[in-house]
């Protein structure tokens, strides 16, 4: 039985049709492993700031949305190159 780490689980949720590629990349590439972890942390931070009423919430939300998109682009690049 393989235990799916929470960092890769978030990526699998976003790209369910690429599960095989994601699991393989996660096992084979330390860089992809790190990107998945960054993606998880960014998603959690974005969720936090989306719920927040703090005065800096809008600024933080915008920063994390941009970072989230950059990480998505990076994940897509890995997936496209793995075909």
């Amino acid at each position: 039985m393989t235990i799916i780490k929470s960092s890769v689980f978030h990526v699998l949720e976003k790209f369910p049709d690429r599960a095989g590629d994601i699991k393989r990349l996660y096992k084979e590439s330390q860089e992809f492993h790190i990107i998945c972890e960054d993606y998880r942390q960014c998603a959690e931070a974005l969720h936090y700031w989306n719920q927040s009423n703090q005065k800096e919430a809008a600024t933080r939300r915008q920063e994390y949305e941009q970072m989230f998109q950059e990480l998505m682009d990076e994940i897509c690049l890995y997936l496209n190159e793995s075909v």
Side-chain angles (χ1 to χ4, degrees):
M1 182 173 114
T2 303
I3 296 173
I4 299 176
K5 303 269 189 223
S6 65
S7 57
V8 78
F9 183 74
H10 280 78
V11 178
L12 288 168
E13 277 187 324
K14 191 70 177 172
F15 302 98
D17 57 322
R18 301 297 301 274
D21 292 328
I22 290 167
K23 289 175 186 176
R24 181 180 49 76
L25 281 166
Y26 192 79
K27 287 179 189 173
E28 296 173 358
S29 171
Q30 182 64 28
E31 287 179 22
F32 188 74
H33 194 114
I34 292 167
I35 291 168
C36 289
E37 182 59 25
D38 290 348
Y39 179 88
R40 180 192 63 79
Q41 291 177 352
C42 186
E44 290 175 0
L46 187 55
H47 177 76
Y48 171 83
W49 288 112
N50 279 332
Q51 307 299 316
S52 175
N53 292 324
Q54 296 178 42
K55 64 181 178 181
E56 71 272 17
T59 302
R60 295 290 173 258
R61 190 168 34 250
Q62 187 175 15
E63 291 170 355
Y64 279 104
E65 284 171 353
Q66 181 178 350
M67 191 183 316
F68 189 78
Q69 186 57 54
E70 290 169 4
L71 288 164
M72 287 270 297
D73 292 346
E74 221 172 323
I75 289 167
C76 287
L77 188 63
Y78 266 91
L79 291 175
N80 290 338
E81 290 177 352
S82 77
V83 175

